[in-house]
Amino acid sequence: MKKETRKEEIINTSAKLFKEKGYSAVTMRDIAKAMGIKAASLYNHIDSKQDILIAIIIALAEDFTKGMELIKKAKTGSLEKLEQIVVLHVNITSNNTDGMASLNNDWMHLEGQLEYYLKLRVEYEDHFRDIIKEGIKKNEIRDGNPEIMMFSILSTLRSLYLWIPKKEDVGAAELALGLSKVLINGINK
């Protein structure tokens, strides 16, 4: 296993603090204290708290975008693509619950990268919506409002960072399978 660099340690510690307190309430001093170093030492590895937020959010947004692009291009049906989206969210969230809190709660604090982040988010949602529309057109998904369907699924997937840490007894594969069944197939008998 690769040893975490000091910069990665700063980013991971910051993500945890941002999740606990919110981005606005955390100072560079708080980050340094949590790491057991002087605040001035942080600046040897990172320029600002804003740079930390950008590193957290943009990396995750790009991971989601790349994953979605692969899913959209896959030669599978729409339902399989939706299942792959669930797996994508479970995997990314399982590996970074703290960062996901920033992605969901602190993105509006991005400076200089907000426009880029919003572009990634819009592309992701456009691809998601297109998969649902394609499924409706091919009669794989019941006819309905694609916006409502996307919102319903994404609302659950975006909140996984709150739930996953409390459910250590449920593995990522089991969670993805269970969520797919409920989110895509519903709870009808």
Side-chain angles (χ1 to χ4, degrees):
M1 190 164 134
K2 186 182 136 215
K3 187 175 177 351
E4 186 178 55
T5 67
R6 190 58 138 173
K7 184 175 181 176
E8 290 168 338
E9 185 182 359
I10 292 167
I11 290 168
N12 292 333
T13 299
S14 300
K16 185 174 192 232
L17 290 172
F18 296 165
K19 180 181 180 183
E20 292 169 0
K21 298 180 176 185
Y23 173 78
S24 297
V26 175
T27 65
M28 291 296 272
R29 231 180 222 114
D30 295 331
I31 297 165
K33 183 179 178 185
M35 294 183 63
I37 61 174
K38 294 187 184 304
S41 298
L42 290 175
Y43 294 102
N44 292 327
H45 306 281
I46 204 98
D47 291 333
S48 68
K49 187 172 85 163
Q50 182 61 211
D51 285 347
I52 296 168
L53 185 68
I54 289 169
I56 294 167
I57 292 176
I58 297 302
L60 286 168
E62 288 175 343
D63 286 348
F64 278 112
T65 302
K66 288 175 194 165
M68 179 60 89
E69 287 170 358
L70 292 173
I71 292 167
K72 188 152 193 281
K73 291 177 187 175
K75 302 291 183 208
T76 59
S78 299
L79 292 176
E80 290 87 359
K81 288 178 182 179
L82 292 175
E83 289 170 359
Q84 291 170 359
I85 291 170
V86 171
V87 170
L88 176 70
H89 274 265
V90 168
N91 288 338
I92 290 174
T93 303
S94 294
N95 291 319
N96 198 341
T97 56
D98 295 333
M100 286 301 297
S102 288
L103 180 70
N104 285 305
N105 302 326
D106 299 318
W107 61 268
M108 70 287 300
H109 298 293
L110 288 172
E111 297 170 10
Q113 292 289 318
L114 180 59
E115 191 174 313
Y116 175 62
Y117 165 74
L118 291 173
K119 177 183 170 282
L120 292 175
R121 185 173 171 160
V122 166
E123 284 176 20
Y124 183 90
E125 290 178 358
D126 286 347
H127 288 325
F128 200 129
R129 198 176 298 103
D130 289 346
I131 290 168
I132 293 171
K133 287 178 181 177
E134 179 184 313
I136 292 170
K137 183 178 173 185
K138 291 182 175 179
N139 207 27
E140 296 173 321
I141 297 173
R142 68 180 168 84
D143 194 10
N145 185 323
E147 268 320 298
I148 294 171
M149 291 178 192
M150 181 181 73
F151 173 77
S152 298
I153 295 170
L154 272 179
S155 293
T156 298
L157 296 177
R158 285 180 174 153
S159 64
L160 284 173
Y161 74 94
L162 296 168
W163 192 78
I164 286 175
K166 298 174 185 169
K167 299 293 179 189
E168 293 173 357
D169 58 327
V170 179
E174 181 185 357
L175 177 59
L177 180 62
L179 279 173
S180 290
K181 284 181 180 177
V182 172
L183 294 173
I184 298 166
N185 302 326
I187 58 172
N188 292 339
K189 277 189 166 185

